Amino acid sequence: MDLRRVCVFCGSSLGARPGYADAAHTGLDDLRIAGTMHERKALMAELADGFVALPGGFGTFEEFCEVLTWSQLGLHSPPK
């Protein structure tokens, strides 16, 4: 299996530590803005070969569970 693109689900809040904001990525090579949450999740699934979930809230959990369900249903398959 050749993973080239990994989608990382994580919380969107900066949290209580100021260092998190200071360490945010400032030089994006590619920015895509989706009109809806469904479009956003579908785009992430289309672009990614694999998925990782970092600590977050219910939204992070929901996104990861949805992509896991898509995998079980055969709607998203890992690269061969």
Side-chain angles (χ1 to χ4, degrees):
M1 180 170 22
D2 186 19
L3 290 178
R4 294 176 186 220
R5 300 170 295 179
V6 176
C7 175
V8 179
F9 296 115
C10 57
S12 61
S13 172
L14 294 177
R17 297 182 183 171
Y20 291 160
D22 295 338
H25 187 9
T26 57
L28 297 176
D29 293 332
D30 186 5
L31 174 63
R32 299 178 191 216
I33 300 172
T36 66
M37 281 295 284
H38 181 74
E39 287 178 17
R40 185 173 86 83
K41 291 187 283 188
L43 179 60
M44 290 188 297
E46 176 186 324
L47 295 172
D49 299 321
F51 301 87
V52 174
L54 296 179
F58 288 120
T60 302
F61 183 64
E62 185 275 332
E63 288 176 326
F64 187 73
C65 286
E66 184 161 356
V67 79
L68 180 63
T69 301
W70 288 355
S71 178
Q72 288 178 330
L73 295 173
L75 300 175
H76 188 277
S77 301
K80 305 277 187 236

